Amino acid sequence: MCSGGGLLESFEGTLEKIKFYSEDSAYLIGTLRCKDGKCVTIVGNFPPMQEGETLSLQGEWQIHNRYGKQVKVEEWERIMPATEEGIIGYLSSGLIKGIGPVTAARMVKKFGLDTLEVLEKEPYRLQEVNGIGDKKAAQIMQSYKRYKDVQNVLVFLQGYGVGVGQAMRLFRRYGPRTIELVRENPYRMAEDVFGIGFKTADSIARRLGLPEGSPERVQASITYTLSRAAEQGHVYLPRPVLFERIRELLDISGEALPEAFLETQLMAMIEGKRLQKEQLEDGEAIYYAPFFQAETGAARLFAALSAGAVRYEDKKEAEALAAVQKEAAHLTGEQQQVLEQSLSCGVLIVTGGPGTGKTTTIKALLSLFQKLKEKVLLAAPTGRAAKRVTEATGEEAFTIHRMLEYSFVEDEGFRFQRNEDNPVQAGVVIVDEASMVDLLLVYQLLKAIPPGCRLIMVGDVDQLPAVGAGNVLRDLIGAGNISCIRLGHIFRQARESMIIVNAHRVNCGEMPYLNRKNKDFFFINEEDAENAARLIVQLCRERLPNYGPFDPLLDIQVLTPMRRTAAGVERLNLLLQEALNPPSSRKLEQIAKGNVYRLGDKVMQVRNNYQKEVYNGDIGLITAIDREEGELVVTFRDLLQPRPVVYDFTELDELTLSYAVSVHKSQGSEYPVIVMPVLTQHYMLLQRNLLYTGITRARKLAVLVGSKKALAIAVKNNKAEERYSYLDGRLAGKKK
């Protein structure tokens, strides 16, 4: 709570330190050094600021019961610095790419107090400065123009309540035309720009005068609702569910928004081929058009592949099979069955838990088809998973995107180069970690597989389903007419690992063994979430590195079920950053999204960036920060080989701290050590498949911190969240 006077006072000075900034709320806490040399703490809403800027403020003093005396800012404006020192600080603050401390000092030495006027009105004169040639002058001019454009957009959108982070995403999508395009159709924002919700677009539209029940508003709500459903894993929504969610979103009663009017807008979108409807046995399903095309197309292509496998001569098959069985005499009956069925099936599913020999089976399949002179392509959904397949088999494995040559095409944008007209050159395609493959990706994969080619999908169906829409692996098994073999035998070496033993116990609905004599699986009882968070920090900083030895950054990964709790992703990241990579005068920092990104920080890519070839879930370390160029470098170590990737400061919303990540984000990854809180506070997400997925991410050591009660809740809760999907029904040739 805060208390204070009521009179506004004026302040002018330099923003010396930014202590906290949230791009979503535009809330800033900072230190202002006033002209008389005194420092005051200021709080309020600001667009992105940089330390060194000169500000004129009006605000009132207040007393915060935790942070003490501070000024709550009501009005503010930027002031162009009036001293040479101030101009150097302003220009070198990172606002303008290409100008760092050295270049700023040279500019001021040349132009003095006229430097900013030269930059604004006579930028061609920049080449008079020592060290600035044609190329660098052009870069500075372009960056300064972009900076001015951004400021105009921020001012416009803040007038409509749009947060700074959202405004920056809009500017990156639309550029200088942002204001024009938003005025023209605010609802396009929700469709075009990641992170911009319907409510933000709707707020602007309403302020611009669009009526509550306008067709544009209702159609935008339909699109947004189906898009949100896809993010939650649904391929379609039943019509009643769709209409119910739309009314909740629009906050309009049935009387004010009649069903007939909703139906009219729905039909208009269907006629415009934006949506598709289909009558199923349990009612009418409404699809966003790309998902309908993917589901029907995937079912058709799976059926064609399943029926169209090329057969070999019996003698050749028998000889190749015998040779592999001789090489790998340790194969179980289940694994030998996989080899035999792979010779007769166009599509084969192989599923099984940890320690059941999935990787060994892939190696045997590879050997079998190589003996039959077939070209085999190995693939996985992520770079981390592909790297593991490469290491295990000695053969190069590709990400599915790389195998399908997903790249930029002029005038078309990014698209898959491999398709029906240009299929991959292979007789067999083996996909590992198939549980992570969503509907849209599997459809693109199927389109690129030539007739007669075999598709073998290997994965653990009991893990969490794909992050994207659909439940492909489960649907393929559930359809009942696609060949599937479940590996159930746990190998002796695997049985010696309590990680694997306990993972299987959890998967069977049994409590894991919690005996402290375990060497690779530990449970630490702590019911209080705050204490659990502190204990996790201690484990990562001291206890586990000494036990291993394990590197706190490269070997230990904290996984947690939820984001916003005392032991959730966001808070644990702040605690772990402070403990494992504390601030130092030797470490550069950059503030974005309310986070401090520091040299040496562990970060994760949070959405696919095909241009940079980094994908949702890739983890790396910040290895360089260049304030002069306005860039940050992340070296990703989970890819096929360590690779530095450059981010402009305006692109940092694609990154997040990753000392702790959600269990969902860990899919397809393995870590030497995982630490995972299991608390009753996480009740909403205490599910068997989530706990099972978390445990199976550990390669050498798993440590659970929490209560036995929470553990029991998770083990007993086998109710997987329902996903609206119809692939299994289409594959089986029936209606639901």
Side-chain angles (χ1 to χ4, degrees), residues 123-161:
Y124 56 87
R125 293 186 60 196
L126 289 174
Q127 293 181 58
E128 297 175 20
V129 178
N130 183 31
I132 299 182
D134 292 354
K135 187 175 179 181
K136 188 161 186 174
Q139 179 193 30
I140 292 171
M141 289 161 61
Q142 183 180 11
S143 178
Y144 185 68
K145 181 182 183 306
R146 186 178 187 279
Y147 164 70
K148 298 289 282 186
D149 288 340
V150 167
Q151 296 308 306
N152 292 336
V153 168
L154 290 176
V155 170
F156 168 75
L157 290 174
Q158 280 189 318
Y160 292 101

Side-chain angles (χ1 to χ4, degrees), residues 15-24 26-31 46-51 93-95 164 168 577 587-599 601 622 625 627 630 632 648-653 655 657:
L15 184 58
E16 188 167 87
K17 180 70 177 174
I18 297 174
K19 298 178 180 177
F20 171 81
Y21 185 68
S22 167
E23 288 196 357
D24 291 330
Y27 188 73
L28 178 144
I29 304 173
T31 302
F46 294 84
M49 292 280 178
Q50 297 290 340
E51 293 172 359
S93 63
L95 286 169
V164 174
M168 290 301 297
Q577 182 191 42
K587 296 177 185 174
L588 289 172
E589 298 178 352
Q590 181 64 25
I591 296 176
K593 284 174 54 188
N595 291 325
V596 174
Y597 293 96
R598 185 174 298 135
L599 193 64
D601 270 339
I622 297 176
I625 296 176
R627 301 300 293 269
L632 175 151
D648 190 274
F649 284 169
T650 63
E651 298 176 314
L652 296 187
D653 60 343
L655 297 173
L657 294 175

Side-chain angles (χ1 to χ4, degrees), residues 487-498:
L487 303 177
H489 175 79
I490 305 175
F491 285 84
R492 182 183 63 79
Q493 186 176 357
R495 289 200 301 271
E496 294 174 1
S497 165
M498 291 309 298

Side-chain angles (χ1 to χ4, degrees), residues 29 77 127 255 300 339 361 395 450 461 531 635 699 718:
I29 304 173
E77 66 174 315
Q127 293 181 58
E255 292 179 3
R300 171 177 52 81
L339 296 181
T361 304
E395 298 285 337
V461 73
N531 290 340
T635 298
R699 195 162 62 243
N718 196 32

Side-chain angles (χ1 to χ4, degrees), residues 410-421:
E410 196 169 348
D411 299 328
E412 295 183 38
F414 282 90
R415 69 176 182 85
F416 293 95
Q417 305 293 309
R418 295 288 183 174
N419 49 41
E420 308 98 313
D421 301 322

Side-chain angles (χ1 to χ4, degrees), residues 589-662:
E589 298 178 352
Q590 181 64 25
I591 296 176
K593 284 174 54 188
N595 291 325
V596 174
Y597 293 96
R598 185 174 298 135
L599 193 64
D601 270 339
K602 185 176 181 180
V603 293
M604 179 172 64
Q605 177 78 15
V606 295
R607 61 179 182 270
N608 292 339
N609 186 320
Y610 303 108
Q611 200 159 7
K612 295 182 188 296
E613 294 185 12
V614 287
Y615 303 98
N616 190 353
D618 287 342
I619 289 178
L621 299 179
I622 297 176
T623 50
I625 296 176
D626 189 332
R627 301 300 293 269
E628 181 126 351
E629 296 298 323
E631 292 175 345
L632 175 151
V633 177
V634 178
T635 298
F636 287 95
R637 302 174 188 276
D638 284 345
L639 305 177
L640 297 178
Q641 56 185 350
R643 180 166 63 86
V645 177
V646 178
Y647 291 81
D648 190 274
F649 284 169
T650 63
E651 298 176 314
L652 296 187
D653 60 343
E654 294 191 16
L655 297 173
T656 188
L657 294 175
S658 64
Y659 297 96
V661 304
S662 69

